[in-house]
């Protein structure tokens, strides 16, 4: 186990993060025993007010649901802490208080405390970050903390907290190496964030029976999309139908987050807030204001220019289908050029196929990760599914730069496949 090499609260955030990346033997190490022990020791240091906790899991949409929850609760006047992963441009994005990324000093101070308390316990990069977020929220005395699950749910570090409410946004195939390729079993992993008699919502219109079975066994008070509520989408607004929460049913404006799928995310969020309203009161006016103010980078983010660039973190089949639908139905350009890469635990063919018929040229490169998919596999899979030309580059920066050179003003460059692709392309603008 690497020593902390004299790191302190005066050390830079970069130094701490570099050390954390080498601290643990595995980049991803699912399990709660180590991180829970350190969390319990941290909890003994001083008293803290009870923070209302919302845990959010899901294959896709969980980041959007966190952003919508945050925006609505801020509109309602609450002090809100948000923990989300991964970040796009800055590590600080992972920990927000009242809509603002926390400064380096808050993170470093928390890292020093955690390092002192953990003694000989080895922690992964993600576990260190999770504990730091929880410690910062405790120090800031936020009213509500919204915690985004990193991977799965049951064994994710976020699940050391017994949340007051839980939201599962969607369930599909992703992270095959850790969660497998069986949707029913993946649903069980997501349902691991449920607690006994807790308020919960599943926003997936095709919620697997396995998730319902977990909720039933725990007597979790679960609401399901398509069963307990439904939506009707219009051109300028949408309708939420719910017999259970009539005060929150009715017409809403379209969310500021783009894409029809965001309406379904908004519906899940509204139902969760209606479900917990006796504990965490909000009004319909708060919800309307929050829906219009929510902001989240890298989700159907259109950057106008010559050419126009569409940035999206889609990295699994379900998200790729949403991206392709948005391009085909909401946008109008002469040619589509794709800047693409993906990690090696993704269903490569399933991510490429939805866009195979609309992309004219593919610009591929490895992402900066030991888990990057090989260019040979990416190019072969593209060739198996598309007649479009494919160009290989050493980096996403180079791929993006060439795509911008080749594209005309009426063309669209879509950058997708990984958060790391989005990071590189946004950094190249």
């Amino acid at each position: 186990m690497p020593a902390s090499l004299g790191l302190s609260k005066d050390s830079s955030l970069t130094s701490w993060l570099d050390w954390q990346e080498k601290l643990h033997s595995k980049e991803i190490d699912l399990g709660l025993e180590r991180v829970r022990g350190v969390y319990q020791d941290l909890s003994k240091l001083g008293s803290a007010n009870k923070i209302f906790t919302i845990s959010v899991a899901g294959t896709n949409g969980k980041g959007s649901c966190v952003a919508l929850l945050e925006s609505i609760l801020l509109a309602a006047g609450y002090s809100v802490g948000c923990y989300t992963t991964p970040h796009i441009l800055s590590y600080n994005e992972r920990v927000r208080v009242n809509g603002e990324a926390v400064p380096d000093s808050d993170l470093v101070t928390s890292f020093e405390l955690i390092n002192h308390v953990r003694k000989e316990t080895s922690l992964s990069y993600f576990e260190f970050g999770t504990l730091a977020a929880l410690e910062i929220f405790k120090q800031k005395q936020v009213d509500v903390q919204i915690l985004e699950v990193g991977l799965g749910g049951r064994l994710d570090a976020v699940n050391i907290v017994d949340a007051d409410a839980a939201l599962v946004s969607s369930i599909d195939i992703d992270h095959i190496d850790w969660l497998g390729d069986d949707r029913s079993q993946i649903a069980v992993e997501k349902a691991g964030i449920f607690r006994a008699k807790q308020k919960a919502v599943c926003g997936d219109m095709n919620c697997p029976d396995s998730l319902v079975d977990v909720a039933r066994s725990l007597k979790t008070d679960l609401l399901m999309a398509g069963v307990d509520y439904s939506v009707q989408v219009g051109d300028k607004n949408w309708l939420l139908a719910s017999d259970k929460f009539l005060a929150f049913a009715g017409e809403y404006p379209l969310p500021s987050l783009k894409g029809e799928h965001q309406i379904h995310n908004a519906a899940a969020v509204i139902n969760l807030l209606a479900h917990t309203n006796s504990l965490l009161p909000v009004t319909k006016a708060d919800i309307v204001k929050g829906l219009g103010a929510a902001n989240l980078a890298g989700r159907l983010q259109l950057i106008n220019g010559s050419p126009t660039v569409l940035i999206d973190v889609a990295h699994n089949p379900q998200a790729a289908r949403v991206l392709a639908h948005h391009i085909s139905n909401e946008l109008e350009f002469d040619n589509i050029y794709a800047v693409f890469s993906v990690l090696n635990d993704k269903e490569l063919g399933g991510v490429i196929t939805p866009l195979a018929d609309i992309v004219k040229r593919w610009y591929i490169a490895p992402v900066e990760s030991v888990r990057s998919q090989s260019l040979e596999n990416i190019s072969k899979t593209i060739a198996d599914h598309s007649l479009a030309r494919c160009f290989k580059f050493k980096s996403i920066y180079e791929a993006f730069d060439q795509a911008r050179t080749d594209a005309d003003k009426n063309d669209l460059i879509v950058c997708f496949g990984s958060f790391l692709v989005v990071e590189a392309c946004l950094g190249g603008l």
Side-chain angles (χ1 to χ4, degrees):
M1 182 187 303
S4 56
L5 301 175
L7 291 172
S8 70
K9 61 182 176 60
D10 296 320
S11 302
S12 69
L13 176 59
T14 299
S15 296
W16 274 101
L17 295 176
D18 288 345
W19 171 72
Q20 287 172 29
E21 288 182 330
K22 303 178 183 69
L23 173 64
H24 196 60
S25 58
K26 298 179 182 178
E27 180 183 1
I28 298 175
D29 191 4
L30 296 177
L32 302 181
E33 183 177 354
R34 290 174 297 100
V35 67
R36 179 181 282 140
V38 179
Y39 177 62
Q40 290 172 343
D41 288 341
L42 285 167
S43 300
K44 297 172 185 176
L45 302 178
S47 60
N49 295 328
K50 174 73 169 66
I51 301 174
F52 192 94
T53 302
I54 302 173
S55 291
V56 182
T59 305
N60 295 299
K62 57 183 181 288
S64 298
C65 287
V66 169
L68 291 166
L69 281 165
E70 176 187 39
S71 186
I72 293 167
L73 290 170
L74 287 174
Y78 292 102
S79 173
V80 182
C82 281
Y83 176 56
T84 63
T85 57
H87 62 275
I88 293 179
L89 295 177
S90 165
Y91 184 91
N92 308 61
E93 298 167 21
R94 296 178 177 225
V95 186
R96 298 193 300 274
V97 173
N98 294 333
E100 299 292 333
V102 298
D104 289 7
S105 57
D106 285 355
L107 290 163
V108 167
T109 298
S110 294
F111 287 158
E112 184 188 37
L113 177 62
I114 293 162
N115 191 41
H116 173 74
V117 169
R118 73 178 180 87
K119 297 184 173 66
E120 297 301 314
T121 302
S122 180
L123 295 172
S124 70
Y125 183 88
F126 180 78
E127 290 164 344
F128 238 106
T130 302
L131 290 171
L134 295 172
E135 183 62 27
I136 289 169
F137 298 154
K138 181 174 73 174
Q139 296 299 326
K140 300 293 185 183
Q141 299 183 335
V142 299
D143 301 318
V144 185
Q145 58 186 8
I146 308 169
L147 310 178
E148 179 187 347
V149 168
L151 195 159
R154 182 175 62 92
L155 298 176
D156 187 88
V158 160
N159 207 30
I160 58 176
V161 181
D162 292 322
D164 300 282
L167 192 158
V168 176
S169 55
S170 67
I171 301 154
D172 205 68
I173 309 300
D174 197 4
H175 301 294
I176 296 171
D177 289 353
W178 290 276
L179 302 180
D181 59 1
D182 178 76
R183 190 169 177 268
S184 179
Q185 182 55 39
I186 290 172
V188 172
E189 294 297 321
K190 307 290 186 195
I193 67 171
F194 290 167
R195 297 293 190 271
K197 300 181 180 180
Q198 174 196 61
K199 306 292 186 183
V201 169
C202 178
D204 196 305
M205 289 290 290
N206 185 25
C207 182
D209 291 340
S210 58
L211 184 141
V212 179
D213 290 341
V214 172
R216 187 178 293 118
S217 70
L218 293 170
K219 296 183 180 178
T220 303
D221 192 354
L222 176 66
L223 300 178
M224 293 186 289
V227 176
D228 298 292
Y229 69 89
S230 61
V231 302
Q232 182 178 341
V233 181
D235 291 335
K236 297 182 179 180
N237 53 37
W238 60 283
L239 293 175
L240 174 63
S242 170
D243 292 334
K244 190 175 181 69
F245 302 114
L246 292 177
F248 291 91
E251 184 177 292
Y252 285 94
L254 298 177
S256 56
L257 303 181
K258 301 302 180 185
E260 185 176 320
H261 63 293
Q262 297 293 3
I263 294 173
H264 297 280
N265 288 332
V269 163
I270 293 169
N271 273 273
L272 185 70
L273 292 173
H275 210 14
T276 61
N277 204 48
S278 62
L279 304 170
L280 192 69
V282 299
T283 67
K284 191 170 181 179
D286 297 329
I287 293 172
V288 170
K289 183 178 179 180
L291 291 180
N295 180 52
L296 187 63
R299 276 68 169 185
L300 297 182
Q301 183 179 352
L302 197 65
I303 302 169
N304 294 316
S306 182
T308 297
V309 177
L310 180 65
I311 302 282
D312 195 84
V313 297
H315 56 270
N316 55 56
Q318 184 184 55
R321 290 192 295 270
V322 169
L323 175 59
H325 180 271
H326 182 75
I327 293 171
S328 298
N329 292 275
E330 302 296 332
L331 304 177
E332 192 171 333
F333 291 91
D334 291 346
N335 299 297
I336 311 297
Y337 295 165
V339 177
F340 175 77
S341 192
V342 71
L343 297 178
N344 60 16
D345 65 323
K346 308 304 178 185
E347 189 183 340
L348 183 55
V351 178
I352 288 173
T353 299
L355 287 95
D357 291 338
I358 62 175
V359 171
K360 183 177 180 179
R361 293 182 184 177
W362 294 82
Y363 298 77
I364 66 172
V367 290
E368 294 185 5
S369 170
V370 296
R371 295 192 289 129
S372 181
Q373 183 62 263
S374 71
L375 292 189
E376 290 72 23
N377 284 343
I378 295 175
S379 60
K380 182 181 183 302
T381 305
I382 290 172
D384 289 343
H385 293 84
S386 171
L387 297 176
R389 297 179 67 186
C390 181
F391 302 90
K392 300 177 185 178
F393 298 86
K394 292 181 180 179
S395 71
I396 293 296
Y397 294 103
E398 292 180 14
F400 184 46
D401 186 61
Q402 188 61 53
R404 294 176 74 191
T405 298
D406 293 346
D408 292 329
K409 63 178 183 179
N410 294 324
D411 295 333
L412 175 71
I413 299 174
V414 55
C415 306
F416 78 107
S418 169
F419 276 82
L420 295 170
V421 172
V422 168
E423 177 186 11
C425 292
L426 283 175
L429 286 172

